């Protein structure tokens, strides 16, 4: 097993070194220090492989701290900092158990995970499937256990809990994840079905699990506490089941079938890449029924020329891609509005709190308006159906041309995003009126300005990210790491915004100023740098 593990690590190290070299060469100044023949330099590649391994280890520890800190600890502190530490710890345990024991156990299954690493090691390098799975499962289990211990012990200490709580919780989580891996393997063996590929099942568990995990933040109390989480009978059952599951995994005889079913690549690998590309393209591809020659001669094009005419044609041809997601959002808003009206009729005492809930929860609308925006879908459509071809011509990459296109598209995209934003504002206003609450002009102005500004903010954000980082390859993959970094920063700021005082007009002022500033900064940076960054990759 040791020799198998070494072989796997060498393969992973070489692959990781190649990726690191590739992205290092993309850096503006430092990248020029590396020549093109570095990929054949064994000594340097070994150095990069060592760097990749060190980064993986560091990220293994930091990733667990980030998970517990950003996903669990931060929401608790921002929403219920006034609670005693014992009650905060109960909230922490509740969220952690739901997300890590239930949601992650369904969405993150290692044994039957479709992974290129399995294909390379088992099918290309001819490592026996059983040896590969035993070696990788042992490594995965050990690193999972070791990476989690520091993070959980630290956060247990923050809440005033004994440090052994963290260690014991990691042991239980590791044992439970072994059980769920074995269950997935057993289900595949008996039914021939890979559960992790059933996306409706996986996303249903993720959605319901997230809802149940964070519900206590709204209610103010948790359903799970340390007495429940560290119950001796429950702990013993999990540990015993983990031992039985480990024996089953170790003696499982048909790993070759389990690997084959999730590595249909090569002919498999090429087919999978083509399938993934076709799926991404189908999402933004036009169809003949989407437009007719008569429509392309309509009044919408009269008097337009240049890039205004080009974009008018683009948006006319892509009505389906633009209107359908807007319609779905409006349907969801309408259903929620009807449900809220029914609550007003059935339970007037509950509806009297609408004003407090909605005004106090304005920071949460940062996430809502982000997912309400259709900016990312529109940018993909623009790249695949328009820019991918035109960017091959020099005139289309000139500063003036890029800025003209950016401004035209920003106005159009903002108009589409404002439709669901206005629907949200109108629905919430009607709910306030129906509930009989005293909702003054100041409160109405705060709510409307915040929602509309957030809609404009994310319209600018998605288009700005597209022009400055242009993350899409010709297969619509996202391969620009800086795109993910900036998006992560925006997400982090969104999470931090939850800490604003409830009902404070300061949040509205920050959103208003931030939106205006972002628009100015975006226009400036697009004009200065997009001629170099906006290109086909």
């Amino acid at each position: 097993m040791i020799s198998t593990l070494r072989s796997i690590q060498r393969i992973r190290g070489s692959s990781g070194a190649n990726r690191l070299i590739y992205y290092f060469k993309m850096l503006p100044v430092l990248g020029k220090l590396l020549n093109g023949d570095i990929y054949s330099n064994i000594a340097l590649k070994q150095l990069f492989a060592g760097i990749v391994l060190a980064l993986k280890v560091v990220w293994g520890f930091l990733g667990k701290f980030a998970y517990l800190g950003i996903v669990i600890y931060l929401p608790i502190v921002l929403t219920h900092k006034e609670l005693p530490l014992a009650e905060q710890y109960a909230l922490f345990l509740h969220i952690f158990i739901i997300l890590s024991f239930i949601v992650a156990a369904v969405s993150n299954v290692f044994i039957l995970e479709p992974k290129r690493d399995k294909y390379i090691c088992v099918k290309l390098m001819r490592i026996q499937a059983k040896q590969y799975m035993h070696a990788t499962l042992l490594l995965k289990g050990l690193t999972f256990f070791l990476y989690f211990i520091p993070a959980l012990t630290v956060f247990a200490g923050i809440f005033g809990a004994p440090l052994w709580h963290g260690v014991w919780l990691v042991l239980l989580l590791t044992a439970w994840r072994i059980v769920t891996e074995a269950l997935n393997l057993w289900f595949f063996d008996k039914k021939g079905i890979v559960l992790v590929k059933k996306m409706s099942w996986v996303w249903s568990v993720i959605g319901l699990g997230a809802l149940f995990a964070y519900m206590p933040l709204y209610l103010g109390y948790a359903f799970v506490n340390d007495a429940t989480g560290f119950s001796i009978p429950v702990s013993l059952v999990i540990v015993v089941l983990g031992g039985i599951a480990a024996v089953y995994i170790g003696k499982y005889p048909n790993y070759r079938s389990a690997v084959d079913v999730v590595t249909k690549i090569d002919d498999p690998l090429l087919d999978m890449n083509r399938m993934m590309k076709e799926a991404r393209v189908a999402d933004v591809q036009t169809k003949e029924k989407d437009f007719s020659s008569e429509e392309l001669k309509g009044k919408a094009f009269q008097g337009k020329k240049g890039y205004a005419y080009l974009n008018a044609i683009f948006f006319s041809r892509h009505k389906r891609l633009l209107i359908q997601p807007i319609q779905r959002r409006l349907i969801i808003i309408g259903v929620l509005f009807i449900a809220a009206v029914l609550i007003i009729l059935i339970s007037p005492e509950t509806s009297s709190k609408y004003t407090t809930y909605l005004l106090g929860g304005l920071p949460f609308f940062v996430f809502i308006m982000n997912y309400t925006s259709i900016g990312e879908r529109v940018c993909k459509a623009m790249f695949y159906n328009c820019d991918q071809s035109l960017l091959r011509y020099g005139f289309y990459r000139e500063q003036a041309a890029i800025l003209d296109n950016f401004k035209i598209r920003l106005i159009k995209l903002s108009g589409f995003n404002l439709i669901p934003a206005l629907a949200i504002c109108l629905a919430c206003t009607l709910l306030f009126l129906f509930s009989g609450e005293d909702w003054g002009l100041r409160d109405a102005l705060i709510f409307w300005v915040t929602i509309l500004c957030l809609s404009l903010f994310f319209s600018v954000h998605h288009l700005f990210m597209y022009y400055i980082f242009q993350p899409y390859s010709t297969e619509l993959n996202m391969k620009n790491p800086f795109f993910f970094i900036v998006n992560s920063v925006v997400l982090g700021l969104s999470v931090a915004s939850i800490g604003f005082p409830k009902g404070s007009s300061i949040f509205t002022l920050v959103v208003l100023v931030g939106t205006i500033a972002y628009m100015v900064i975006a226009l400036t940076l697009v004009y200065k740098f997009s001629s170099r960054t906006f290109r086909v990759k």
Side-chain angles (χ1 to χ4, degrees):
M1 181 181 292
I2 299 299
S3 61
T4 302
L5 195 56
R6 286 177 179 172
S7 299
I8 294 170
Q9 289 299 103
R10 283 197 293 268
I11 295 170
R12 290 178 175 177
S14 179
S15 178
N18 287 339
R19 287 195 298 271
L20 182 61
I21 291 170
Y22 173 77
Y23 286 116
F24 188 87
K25 285 173 68 66
M26 292 176 64
L27 295 176
V29 177
L30 297 177
K32 296 180 180 179
L33 299 176
L34 299 181
N35 297 322
D37 60 352
I38 188 173
Y39 291 102
S40 61
N41 191 317
I42 296 177
L44 280 176
K45 283 193 69 173
Q46 287 178 340
L47 174 62
F48 275 95
I51 295 173
V52 169
L53 179 60
L55 290 174
K56 283 184 178 179
V57 173
V58 171
W59 176 245
F61 288 104
L62 292 181
K64 303 306 179 187
F65 275 99
Y67 164 61
L68 296 178
I70 296 174
V71 177
I72 304 178
Y73 175 76
L74 188 59
I76 294 172
V77 173
L78 292 177
T79 57
H80 294 289
K81 190 176 183 180
E82 73 283 354
L83 291 178
L85 285 178
E87 295 183 27
Q88 292 185 31
Y89 186 46
L91 292 171
F92 180 87
L93 286 177
H94 175 93
I95 299 174
F96 176 78
I97 289 172
I98 299 300
L99 294 183
S100 300
F101 280 76
I102 299 177
V103 174
V106 172
S107 61
N108 187 17
V109 178
F110 180 75
I111 284 181
L112 294 171
E113 178 188 17
K115 200 172 184 181
R116 185 175 296 182
D117 183 68
K118 291 180 182 178
Y119 172 78
I120 294 173
C121 292
V122 176
K123 292 195 171 183
L124 294 184
M125 305 305 295
R126 305 298 182 184
I127 298 175
Q128 290 187 10
K130 186 174 183 179
Q131 293 179 354
Y132 169 83
M133 293 305 298
H134 283 176
T136 53
L137 284 170
L138 177 62
L139 180 63
K140 181 73 173 180
L142 287 175
T143 54
F144 183 85
F145 180 80
L146 293 174
Y147 289 157
F148 251 122
I149 284 181
L152 268 176
T153 52
V154 167
F155 280 100
I158 290 175
F159 290 111
L163 296 183
W164 67 266
H165 272 205
V167 178
W168 186 244
L169 201 57
V170 176
L171 179 63
L172 293 180
L173 178 58
T174 305
W176 178 250
R177 295 294 287 273
I178 294 172
V179 172
T180 58
E181 294 282 353
L183 286 174
N184 276 271
L185 191 60
W186 176 85
F187 195 83
F188 165 75
D189 190 51
K190 299 300 180 184
K191 304 292 184 181
I193 298 174
V194 181
L195 284 176
V196 75
K197 285 187 174 183
K198 302 296 181 182
M199 300 312 295
S200 58
W201 153 253
V202 172
W203 282 106
S204 296
V205 173
I206 292 174
L208 293 174
L211 179 64
F212 187 65
Y214 290 104
M215 188 182 296
L217 296 182
Y218 175 78
L219 299 175
Y221 61 89
F223 305 122
V224 178
N225 52 39
D226 54 349
T228 307
F230 296 97
S231 166
I232 293 178
V234 173
S235 299
L236 288 177
V237 168
I238 292 176
V239 171
V240 171
L241 288 176
I244 296 172
V247 173
Y248 174 78
I249 290 173
K251 293 185 176 181
Y252 183 74
N254 199 19
Y255 275 114
R256 182 70 196 195
S257 297
V259 172
D260 285 345
V261 79
V262 294
T263 55
K264 292 183 178 179
I265 323 182
D266 185 298
D267 34 86
L269 180 57
L270 295 176
D271 287 344
M272 178 177 282
N273 281 339
R274 185 167 61 251
M275 178 186 68
M276 293 174 66
K277 177 185 176 181
E278 290 173 355
R280 287 189 293 265
V281 169
D283 188 48
V284 295
Q285 196 172 34
T286 56
K287 299 179 181 179
E288 289 185 6
K289 64 180 182 180
D290 290 342
F291 57 91
S292 63
S293 57
E294 289 76 14
E295 288 179 317
L296 296 180
K297 298 176 182 177
K299 295 181 179 179
F301 307 102
Q302 292 180 0
K304 288 186 170 64
K305 59 181 181 179
Y307 294 113
Y309 181 67
L310 171 69
N311 283 282
I313 293 176
F314 170 81
F315 285 107
S316 177
R317 287 187 174 187
H318 295 79
K319 286 181 181 178
R320 176 182 61 88
L321 298 175
L322 301 171
I323 293 176
Q324 284 185 354
I326 295 294
Q327 289 174 335
R328 286 194 290 267
R329 285 155 174 77
L330 292 177
I331 290 171
I332 293 172
I333 294 169
V335 170
L336 293 176
F337 173 73
I338 293 171
V341 171
L342 291 176
I343 292 175
I344 291 176
L345 297 175
I346 297 171
S347 178
E349 64 278 4
T350 302
S351 65
S352 64
K353 300 179 181 179
Y354 277 163
T355 305
T356 304
Y357 288 154
L358 290 175
L359 289 177
L362 270 178
F364 288 97
F365 276 92
V366 176
F367 300 98
I368 295 173
M369 300 314 297
N370 186 16
Y371 289 107
T372 300
S373 172
I374 63 170
E376 185 174 341
R377 182 183 178 94
V378 172
C379 289
K380 284 183 180 179
M382 287 189 297
F383 177 76
Y384 176 75
N385 296 308
C386 180
D387 296 340
Q388 182 178 195
S389 299
L390 290 176
L391 279 172
R392 304 182 189 281
Y393 299 97
F395 73 88
Y396 198 73
R397 299 193 302 271
E398 293 178 357
Q399 288 180 331
I402 290 175
L403 192 61
D404 283 347
N405 271 320
F406 182 84
K407 289 186 292 186
I408 294 168
R409 291 171 172 181
L410 177 59
I411 293 171
K412 196 71 175 180
L413 177 59
S414 299
F416 281 109
N417 282 335
L418 283 174
I419 295 173
L422 288 169
I424 290 173
C425 291
L426 182 60
C428 291
T429 301
L430 291 175
L431 288 178
F432 287 141
L433 297 176
F434 292 161
S435 66
E437 281 292 294
D438 182 17
W439 198 42
L441 179 61
R442 176 179 176 274
D443 291 336
L445 190 62
I446 287 175
F447 189 86
W448 279 70
V449 169
T450 303
I451 300 301
L452 297 180
C453 282
L454 285 173
S455 175
L456 291 174
F457 177 88
F458 285 109
S459 299
V460 177
H461 174 66
H462 287 123
L463 205 58
F464 167 73
M465 295 289 286
Y466 172 54
Y467 271 88
I468 290 297
F469 297 108
Q470 206 301 82
Y472 307 117
S473 68
T474 53
E475 295 183 349
L476 290 183
N477 290 314
M478 288 190 182
K479 294 186 175 180
N480 192 323
F482 303 107
F483 179 85
F484 294 102
I485 292 172
V486 176
N487 264 336
S488 299
V489 171
V490 172
L491 179 62
L493 293 175
S494 301
V495 173
S497 69
I498 299 175
F500 275 90
K502 293 183 177 180
S504 173
S505 57
I506 298 177
F507 178 72
T508 302
L509 181 62
V510 170
V511 170
L512 177 61
V513 173
T515 301
I516 296 172
Y518 201 176
M519 292 181 70
V520 174
I521 293 171
L523 286 169
T524 303
L525 293 181
V526 166
Y527 179 74
K528 287 187 175 181
F529 300 108
S530 56
S531 59
R532 289 175 295 187
T533 59
F534 192 53
R535 56 190 176 85
V536 176
K537 299 176 182 178

